Amino acid sequence: MPSIQDLVVLGCAVATLVSPMPAAGENSLAPMLARVIPAVVSISSEGAMSDGQSILSDAPVSPSVGSGSIIDAAKGLILTDYHVIQDAETIWVTLSDKRSFEAQTVGIDTDSDIAVIKIDAAGLKQLPIGDSDGLQVGDYVVAIGNPFGLSQTVTYGIVSALGRTGFETGAYEGYIQTDAAINPGNSGGPLVDLDGRMVGVNSAIVGSSSGSVGLGFAIPSAAAKHILPELIAHGEVKRGQLGIVTQDLTEDLAIALHAGTSRGAVVSQVLPGSPAETVGLTAGDVIVGIDGNSVADAGELRRLIGNLAPQTRIHVTALRDGSQIGLNATVTLKIRQPTTYDGTGLLRSVVLAKIAPGSPAYGKIRGAAVLSVSPGSAAANSGLLEGDVIATLDRKPVDGPEQVVSLTANAREFLLVGIYRDDQMHFVVIRRRNG
């Protein structure tokens, strides 16, 4: 399995048909593609991740371009990858008939790298969602999208493997691996079967950021379909947690823990007050099953638990000192802790973060969310409040907390801060205090 350093996250759709597709009784994929292509769109995002930017990449920064699939023609709903629209200020959708529309974000799930956006348009065609659980290695698949900005491009290949894990994105999904050519610009575009049903959402490639080397990965349609109702209804997905930190069961760990198996997830830490602590799970236990589903490794355990709704009752099967134990637990809501940034200079008493999806300011303005302000500090005395969003510094727009920290690092006598509060902009002047 390639290392995470080789994973290239995309931002578009797919490549070009290069040789005939073997298909029962047919010489061409054209009839199927004629039905599918009108439901595939191009997505461009201003202020988002750059097209084809890898996790560890020296690719040049450029506007983000990706793909998507219309999944509800009546409501204008489009399924794509979250990283295609990540941090986007404006999202534009271009249809196969060249019409363009500005889109709004309906919901995002960073854990699965799935997003739903919406356009107000008539005459749309939607793509049926197939059953990825029925895929087998060797099945033919077709990728459609806009690689390198080349719209409505098609490639084909086979399913090379199923349930691929170990990637930073799609933490709760087992990828479909395919040799269908997927290139920068493919993200969010559909992977379809020969009947024209979407069985995956193209998400990543392994290898050079310059193009495909035959190792492409798609999020299974079953995983996307599972979370779509909650994503559309609530804008986010509430996931369960047991409250444990786990790692893969290696050969050495299996011997040391007297596991007697090569499959399972080793509990390396139990969080205080968690459901796991309540039912008696301890570090060194090897979890081998959840509700009768076998657990091969830590990634599979993470998916099984993370895809459960909070307050779901589960049965945990584990090995402890060579003996099997069974425990009943109730998963609780997983709370996502935001990455925080300590302010500098005249904002050194302030803790900042990116604007979260649940914030009233999300999607309305760019800037840095104020998580806390130390009482009695210059910022507090000047009127800066928890919940404010810093949108400008000295009348210049800021994109996020990293930029705020950088721009305020140098000592100065006063700072003119533009804040967004209660759907209105205000100015606050923070002055250095004497002494």
Side-chain angles (χ1 to χ4, degrees):
M1 186 66 199
S3 67
I4 189 65
Q5 285 83 356
D6 295 324
L7 179 65
V8 178
V9 176
L10 307 172
C12 274
V14 205
T16 123
L17 199 56
V18 292
S19 63
M21 162 74 74
E26 292 188 6
N27 295 321
S28 174
L29 292 173
M32 180 271 284
L33 293 173
R35 301 191 307 270
V36 171
I37 284 178
V40 181
V41 305
S42 173
I43 300 172
S44 59
S45 305
E46 298 175 8
M49 278 185 67
S50 64
D51 171 25
Q53 184 177 8
S54 63
I55 292 174
L56 291 176
S57 170
D58 56 2
V61 176
S62 60
S64 178
V65 181
S67 303
S69 302
I70 300 172
I71 56 172
D72 189 325
K75 297 180 180 179
L77 298 179
I78 297 168
L79 175 65
T80 187
D81 285 327
Y82 164 67
H83 72 257
V84 170
I85 64 165
Q86 183 177 352
D87 297 330
E89 184 174 353
T90 306
I91 304 170
W92 287 95
V93 169
T94 302
L95 306 179
S96 62
D97 61 11
K98 307 304 180 185
R99 290 184 293 161
S100 292
F101 301 89
E102 186 172 356
Q104 290 76 46
T105 300
V106 173
I108 62 171
D109 182 41
T110 59
D111 289 330
S112 64
D113 194 27
I114 287 292
V116 176
I117 60 176
K118 184 181 187 301
I119 59 173
D120 185 9
L124 299 178
K125 302 292 184 181
Q126 71 185 49
L127 185 62
I129 300 178
D131 181 15
S132 59
D133 288 341
L135 286 177
Q136 301 180 69
V137 174
D139 285 351
Y140 286 110
V141 286
V142 179
I144 309 165
N146 309 279
F148 301 106
L150 301 173
S151 62
Q152 308 308 320
T153 300
V154 178
T155 56
Y156 84 88
I158 64 169
V159 174
S160 304
L162 296 167
R164 290 297 197 196
T165 61
F167 298 144
E168 191 168 298
T169 57
Y172 291 100
E173 318 308 338
Y175 282 101
I176 301 166
Q177 181 182 330
T178 178
D179 64 353
I182 296 177
N183 290 285
N186 275 76
S187 276
L191 188 72
V192 303
D193 61 18
L194 296 188
D195 292 322
R197 298 169 301 190
M198 179 171 58
V199 292
V201 182
N202 298 318
S203 183
I205 62 175
V206 166
S208 169
S209 60
S210 61
S212 171
V213 294
L215 290 172
F217 298 88
I219 299 166
S221 62
K225 192 174 182 178
H226 175 73
I227 66 172
L228 278 176
E230 191 171 357
L231 205 57
I232 294 169
H234 306 293
E236 62 179 350
V237 178
K238 292 182 172 61
R239 298 186 180 275
Q241 67 168 0
L242 258 182
I244 53 177
V245 178
T246 62
Q247 63 190 90
D248 291 342
L249 179 65
T250 64
E251 183 178 352
D252 287 343
L253 280 172
I255 294 172
L257 296 172
H258 311 290
T261 181
S262 60
R263 295 168 59 85
V266 180
V267 177
S268 55
Q269 181 182 0
V270 177
L271 303 182
S274 67
E277 183 185 55
T278 300
V279 300
L281 274 171
T282 62
D285 288 345
V286 180
I287 297 177
V288 294
I290 297 291
D291 285 340
N293 298 304
S294 63
V295 174
D297 52 32
E300 187 165 25
L301 177 64
R302 182 172 61 245
R303 291 196 307 277
L304 287 171
I305 299 298
N307 285 327
L308 295 172
Q311 305 309 311
T312 299
R313 291 275 297 175
I314 62 171
H315 182 75
V316 181
T317 304
L319 300 173
R320 179 180 296 168
D321 296 325
S323 299
Q324 181 172 300
I325 60 173
L327 302 168
N328 294 314
T330 301
V331 298
T332 55
L333 176 65
K334 179 184 178 184
I335 305 298
R336 296 181 181 88
Q337 299 298 328
T339 301
T340 60
Y341 302 80
D342 293 329
T344 56
L346 290 175
L347 293 177
R348 64 182 178 274
S349 61
V350 178
V351 177
L352 305 168
K354 293 182 178 180
I355 303 173
S359 167
Y362 184 78
K364 298 180 181 178
I365 196 168
R366 296 177 66 83
V370 177
L371 296 187
S372 66
V373 184
S374 297
S377 65
N381 292 340
S382 299
L384 191 66
L385 301 176
E386 176 183 333
D388 288 345
V389 173
I390 297 176
T392 65
L393 291 173
D394 293 332
R395 295 189 292 179
K396 296 178 181 178
V398 293
D399 289 331
E402 301 99 326
Q403 189 178 11
V404 171
V405 170
S406 175
L407 292 176
T408 56
N410 295 329
R412 60 179 76 184
E413 293 304 314
F414 71 91
L415 182 66
L416 179 61
V417 182
I419 61 170
Y420 182 80
R421 179 193 299 165
D422 298 329
D423 290 328
Q424 293 182 336
M425 289 295 301
H426 305 267
F427 281 118
V428 169
V429 177
I430 302 177
R431 291 186 176 276
R432 184 177 299 280
R433 294 180 298 175
N434 294 330

